[in-house]
Amino acid sequence: MGASTHDEYIPLFETKQAKGRTAFRLFSSSIFAGIALIWIYRLIYMPKSGDSLRLAWIMLFGAEVWFSLYWFLTLSVRWNRIHRSTFKSRLSQRYEHKLPGVDIFVCTADPTIEPPLMVINTILSLMAYDYPSEKLSVYLSDDGGSVLTFYALLEASYFSKHWLPYCRKFNIEPRSPAAYFSTISNSVSKSTEFLSIKKLYDEMELNIETATKLGRIPNEVRTQHKGFSEWDSVSSPRDHQTIVQILIDGRVPNALDTEGCTLPTLVYLSREKRPNYHHNFKAGAMNALIRVSSNVSDGPVILNVDCDMYSNNSESVRDALCFLMDEQKGHEIAFVQYPQCFTNVTENDIYGSLLRTISKVELGGMDGYGGPPYIGTGCFHRRETLCGEKYVKGRKFEWKIGFKRKEGSVIELEETSKMLANCIYEKGTQWGNEIGLKYDCPVEDVITGLLIQCRGWISVFFYPEREGFLGVPPNTLLQTLVQHKRWSEGDFQILLSKYGPLTNGLGRMKIGHQMAYCVYLLWAPNCLATLFFLIVPPLHLLKGVPIFPKVSCQWFLPFAYVIIAANSYSLFEFIVSGGTLKGWWNEQRIWLFKREASYLFGFIETMLKLLGFAKSAFDITAKVVDPDVSQRYEKEIMEFGASSPMFTIIATLAMLNLFSLIGGLKRVITDLEGWTLLESLFLQVLLSSIVILINLPVYQGMFFRNDMGRIPSLVTIKSTVSAILLCMIYSIVLESNVHLLYLN
Ligand SMILES: *[C@@H]1O[C@H](CO)[C@@H](O)[C@H](O)[C@H]1NC(C)=O
Ligand SMILES: *[C@@H]1O[C@H](CO)[C@@H](O)[C@H](O)[C@H]1NC(C)=O
């Protein structure tokens, strides 16, 4: 009997089904019925050939079919939602002395866009994880090859000797010094320990900021560390040798903090860059990190964090290990993905940066089918799976117990590591293909995660009570739109490639999982149906031509039901996920803008690339903040400012709907049978009115603002003229046949 209780399996994590799944399924079925009726209506009342309305009718039907199918896909991320929770005390009881090594990768690319002070705050928060320090190694990959970043990291390595004991002693959260100090209000009285650590931080901040302002390192500092001499032979960020500097070597006894405890290993890497070698952006940096870390610490678990995302929860490593080390289910899990969360977002989140429903609802839904995608930050991987290993059923992982570091002095390790990050190292190997992160895709993370899942692994989504990682959200409209352009473009390329869920995933992934991926991979082509809805019904409204059923007709009901039900559900979901009513409205606006601009450009660029006209580029989103811009952000005033073609399109469509509504209403008023006309144009009037209400900040930006964040006059002129032209062209095309319709 004793044996049987001993064998009993007590899991390290728990999976629960989300509440209300049955209600959701019934509700969606009713929407489905409404959609079916709409299709029937469109087919029955299709205008005869020769009718001028036929083309518009067919196109509108096409757009409705697209939206229906897309809606059907979005069911997949809601159908089978689950939540996960962990039991960290069990992990600790069973494995406290056998915990695996964890290698943490942080990538930065440009010291002006990603200030070194922000980067080291992230690094310090990660070094301060509640985890045995000798098993923790933090690597910074600096693709900017900047001596300022190196200097900041060196300063951070000194500061960590005081910071880590302080975090342990007072068990503080969050452990990013800047974020922690900002939570302490000025009025409370402070301990001497607080004052002294704050003083040290302020000194470090001052040193780093002074160096950043000067653009160089003070001479007396240069002699402090041998690493600085590497920059004697750096000619530019795009042309230099590999630099590897182990700033803290966690193996050696002198790497101790002020309390005599070991410090985590800390490594600076700037891989070799040469003008005639393609460096493959972030994927290239990650692959260099994988190799260099395998030579230095070789932790079996890899955590990847963006340099602007500090750790808000010092227990994240332990949470992730509850999944990976679970004796029964852990062996099939390749990675544990945390949601991307943000700090400093205004109450109503005007740019929809939180992606609230994606992280609160949809990713948990994907988890029900085989796992969330890898989203490039806040993700714990097994080293093997990231390096291309296939899942073998029944195979168990043996965690490397104890901590056998590579032998050799720091200098030797640095020398042997350098080779691994040279340009020529990957030549003729499978790196960037079968091994490591996949190259040649603007969303290297998503495609890499997908490949891992196609090799048989599952992934896990974990939304802890206290958010694991917090980043800085984009705080202008353009940043948001550009970021989404890259995402939608990359996602669409994956769908069309041979690595997509419908190609490579065929037979390897569950159908629900394939559909769930398509929700994101189809973002870009989604623009077409939306554009169609924003152009055709309003132009017909302008001419007084109805293309939806009239209010008194029984076919009006399915339209009304689908519109009301779908939007109420979306609002409900948003509020339940912690949002506000105004936040939801803002999210609808961003939904529209993304489709009008980001996805359209993403779509066009993908098509051009397919035809061989364009090449990849990688836009980093700026993380430095102009004080004026951030003031407007805090007041939730939309930031335009730049003369981007994206704004021209958005403004054109806003003007087009405005003209159409005015023109349509004028017809209704002057028409003898005004009410009947209004009744048959009702849905078009409603559509344009909502579009106009959503676009209010656009009209404001065009005509009623004079700060720097307004829409530039040139954009206003261009878009107004384009809208007028569109109306005129369409009138001419329609003119010839419209009167026929009236006669009928
Ligand atoms: C971050 O951690 C703090 C505790 O340190 C917690 O109060 C907060 O809810 C967490 N999340 C965010 C978004 O700040
Ligand atoms: C967050 O907002 C506060 C006050 O608005 C500001 O001082 C701080 O720098 C911001 N933090 C980040 C990371 O942008």
Side-chain angles (χ1 to χ4, degrees):
M1 199 197 118
S4 77
T5 48
H6 187 250
D7 284 347
E8 201 177 336
Y9 156 69
I10 302 169
L12 292 178
F13 72 92
E14 183 179 51
T15 305
K16 279 199 190 127
Q17 294 193 338
K19 291 196 195 85
R21 296 205 307 186
T22 319
F24 174 74
R25 290 175 183 190
L26 282 175
F27 176 70
S28 330
S29 312
S30 76
I31 294 190
F32 183 73
I35 289 177
L37 287 172
I38 292 177
W39 287 26
I40 294 173
Y41 165 78
R42 287 279 177 221
L43 289 171
I44 294 181
Y45 292 92
M46 175 94 63
K48 307 255 170 333
S49 57
D51 192 324
S52 71
L53 205 54
R54 187 176 164 90
L55 183 63
W57 189 280
I58 291 176
M59 286 166 78
L60 199 58
F61 184 33
E64 282 162 359
V65 168
W66 172 271
F67 278 135
S68 313
L69 294 179
Y70 191 77
W71 170 81
F72 191 67
L73 292 178
T74 64
L75 285 188
S76 66
V77 286
R78 294 179 168 72
W79 205 252
N80 202 12
R81 285 172 51 204
I82 56 175
H83 295 299
R84 314 262 192 190
S85 47
T86 57
F87 304 107
K88 290 186 283 288
S89 57
R90 294 182 192 165
L91 178 82
S92 180
Q93 274 164 19
R94 272 177 247 173
Y95 296 110
E96 190 60 41
H97 300 292
K98 295 185 274 182
L99 289 170
V102 176
D103 290 353
I104 304 179
F105 297 172
V106 179
C107 299
T108 178
D110 186 328
T112 50
I113 294 179
E114 301 167 329
L117 194 62
M118 175 189 80
V119 176
I120 61 157
N121 266 291
T122 301
I123 301 251
L124 285 164
S125 75
L126 300 167
M127 289 174 79
Y129 268 132
D130 170 21
Y131 199 74
S133 287
E134 68 278 10
K135 298 183 177 176
L136 215 50
S137 310
V138 182
Y139 294 81
L140 175 67
S141 158
D142 177 19
D143 268 358
S146 161
V147 69
L148 293 172
T149 306
F150 176 72
Y151 170 57
L153 195 67
L154 181 66
E155 286 279 334
S157 75
Y158 301 148
F159 181 66
S160 68
K161 296 186 179 179
H162 305 273
W163 181 244
L164 269 50
Y166 182 83
C167 291
R168 272 199 308 272
K169 182 161 178 201
F170 298 99
N171 200 13
I172 60 160
E173 293 283 356
R175 295 188 175 183
S176 144
Y180 168 70
F181 292 131
S182 74
T183 61
I184 307 288
S185 82
N186 281 329
S187 51
V188 298
S189 61
K190 286 142 190 152
S191 65
T192 46
E193 272 128 327
F194 176 88
L195 293 173
S196 73
I197 194 85
K198 179 80 169 69
K199 182 158 165 282
L200 282 175
Y201 178 77
D202 289 343
E203 278 168 18
M204 174 177 76
E205 182 174 352
L206 186 68
N207 288 344
I208 294 174
E209 302 223 300
T210 314
T212 311
K213 269 199 207 100
L214 290 175
R216 61 182 177 78
I217 309 303
N219 283 336
E220 65 276 14
V221 175
R222 280 188 169 269
T223 53
Q224 274 177 18
H225 198 275
K226 69 182 192 332
F228 289 109
S229 63
E230 291 276 353
W231 272 268
D232 298 342
S233 43
V234 171
S235 55
S236 95
R238 264 160 265 107
D239 189 5
H240 62 82
Q241 79 286 13
T242 300
I243 304 171
V244 181
Q245 291 293 321
I246 302 178
L247 292 177
I248 302 177
D249 176 7
R251 301 171 306 172
V252 296
N254 64 5
L256 297 180
D257 62 28
T258 52
E259 308 266 287
C261 299
T262 332
L263 284 167
T265 295
L266 182 65
V267 179
Y268 173 90
L269 165 70
S270 184
R271 63 191 166 126
E272 187 186 20
K273 290 273 183 73
R274 297 295 174 205
N276 43 349
Y277 283 92
H278 190 37
H279 57 80
N280 292 303
F281 310 106
K282 189 175 163 192
M286 285 287 292
N287 285 345
L289 280 171
I290 293 176
R291 293 192 297 269
V292 167
S293 66
S294 74
N295 189 47
V296 178
S297 50
D298 204 19
V301 175
I302 290 175
L303 163 63
N304 164 216
V305 187
D306 274 353
C307 66
D308 66 331
M309 294 214 114
Y310 65 85
S311 152
N312 192 49
N313 183 338
S314 62
E315 297 188 319
S316 296
V317 178
R318 290 173 183 270
D319 279 320
L321 289 178
C322 285
F323 295 104
L324 297 176
M325 296 186 81
D326 184 82
E327 295 82 352
Q328 254 184 22
K329 302 200 193 96
H331 302 284
E332 52 176 349
I333 299 172
F335 60 89
V336 180
Q337 177 67 59
Y338 282 67
Q340 212 172 352
C341 296
F342 297 97
T343 162
N344 265 13
V345 179
T346 53
E347 190 193 355
N348 301 310
D349 188 17
I350 46 169
Y351 301 121
S353 330
L354 291 177
L355 304 172
R356 200 179 282 279
T357 38
I358 293 186
S359 49
K360 289 268 168 128
V361 178
E362 301 187 359
L363 292 179
M366 284 186 86
D367 203 359
Y369 283 120
Y374 164 37
I375 53 177
T377 179
C379 189
F380 288 86
H381 284 274
R382 277 179 205 280
R383 186 179 282 273
E384 293 96 327
T385 56
L386 203 50
C387 291
E389 200 158 297
K390 283 204 176 65
Y391 174 64
V392 181
K393 207 171 155 72
R395 207 196 76 173
K396 303 256 157 169
F397 275 94
E398 289 301 329
W399 293 98
K400 267 178 259 172
I401 300 169
F403 200 57
K404 288 199 201 65
R405 274 294 169 74
K406 303 286 173 185
E407 301 288 322
S409 68
V410 164
I411 306 273
E412 281 164 8
L413 280 185
E414 286 173 354
E415 280 309 313
T416 48
S417 299
K418 273 185 189 171
M419 251 170 35
L420 303 174
N422 285 352
C423 289
I424 51 165
Y425 183 87
E426 294 184 349
K427 231 176 150 188
T429 68
Q430 282 299 321
W431 282 95
N433 214 0
E434 298 281 310
I435 311 179
L437 275 84
K438 181 96 183 73
Y439 292 158
D440 301 324
C441 177
V443 284
E444 70 291 329
D445 40 14
V446 177
I447 194 166
T448 302
L450 190 58
L451 285 172
I452 292 175
Q453 287 163 349
C454 285
R455 288 190 209 110
W457 302 95
I458 67 164
S459 59
V460 159
F461 179 65
F462 184 57
Y463 203 125
E465 256 166 59
R466 187 169 66 223
E467 279 87 350
F469 303 92
L470 294 180
V472 185
N475 73 347
T476 71
L477 180 60
L478 195 58
Q479 280 175 20
T480 311
L481 294 178
V482 167
Q483 190 179 51
H484 276 267
K485 180 190 147 255
R486 179 167 69 82
W487 287 346
S488 66
E489 183 184 338
D491 284 356
F492 191 41
Q493 282 172 31
I494 296 178
L495 187 76
L496 301 179
S497 76
K498 61 178 182 196
Y499 305 106
L502 305 180
T503 43
N504 190 32
L506 203 65
R508 297 196 171 97
M509 295 167 77
K510 290 191 184 132
I511 291 178
H513 207 199
Q514 291 173 311
M515 284 170 62
Y517 262 102
C518 287
V519 171
Y520 309 104
L521 306 193
L522 282 175
W523 268 348
N526 228 336
C527 64
L528 299 178
T530 312
L531 285 179
F532 196 75
F533 255 84
L534 288 172
I535 296 175
V536 175
L539 284 177
H540 282 77
L541 171 64
L542 182 66
K543 303 302 303 177
V545 181
I547 45 174
F548 289 101
K550 59 178 184 228
V551 179
S552 56
C553 168
Q554 73 269 30
W555 291 108
F556 179 79
L557 287 177
F559 281 93
Y561 180 69
V562 170
I563 293 169
I564 293 173
N567 282 299
S568 321
Y569 180 74
S570 140
L571 175 61
F572 164 77
E573 196 175 73
F574 193 82
I575 301 276
V576 169
S577 310
T580 59
L581 181 63
K582 210 166 164 200
W584 178 75
W585 184 244
N586 287 336
E587 174 129 318
Q588 303 311 302
R589 180 178 307 116
I590 288 299
W591 183 97
L592 190 71
F593 287 0
K594 280 183 211 159
R595 279 161 182 74
E596 291 173 343
S598 313
Y599 299 173
L600 178 65
F601 281 81
F603 183 75
I604 294 174
E605 209 155 294
T606 308
M607 289 297 139
L608 290 180
K609 235 179 252 175
L610 273 184
L611 301 172
F613 289 125
K615 279 217 322 246
S616 307
F618 193 97
D619 327 284
I620 322 171
T621 351
K623 275 133 204 167
V624 249
V625 186
D626 182 304
D628 271 2
V629 172
S630 62
Q631 258 189 19
R632 285 193 286 271
Y633 177 68
E634 268 157 40
K635 289 192 209 142
E636 304 205 314
I637 298 174
M638 193 152 261
E639 182 74 26
F640 299 98
S643 294
S644 162
M646 293 198 175
F647 296 157
T648 312
I649 294 189
I650 290 174
T652 304
L653 292 167
M655 293 310 285
L656 179 74
N657 276 275
L658 187 62
F659 294 153
S660 302
L661 187 71
I662 294 172
L665 288 180
K666 191 169 145 254
R667 259 172 216 280
V668 168
I669 293 165
T670 52
D671 196 289
L672 283 179
E673 295 187 48
W675 272 115
T676 335
L677 187 59
L678 182 60
E679 210 202 346
S680 46
L681 288 174
F682 179 77
L683 280 177
Q684 278 149 283
V685 171
L686 181 73
L687 180 66
S688 285
S689 310
I690 291 178
V691 170
I692 289 169
L693 284 180
I694 283 196
N695 275 305
L696 281 182
V698 177
Y699 307 119
Q700 259 167 15
M702 289 166 90
F703 305 113
F704 304 110
R705 273 170 63 182
N706 40 29
D707 56 88
M708 293 303 285
R710 70 191 300 262
I711 295 186
S713 319
L714 193 63
V715 174
T716 306
I717 296 170
K718 270 198 247 173
S719 46
T720 312
V721 171
S722 315
I724 293 174
L725 280 179
L726 265 173
C727 293
M728 278 166 44
I729 295 171
Y730 208 77
S731 298
I732 295 167
V733 172
L734 267 186
E735 204 65 42
S736 45
N737 285 311
V738 158
H739 57 278
L740 282 178
L741 218 96
Y742 271 110
L743 294 180
N744 293 344

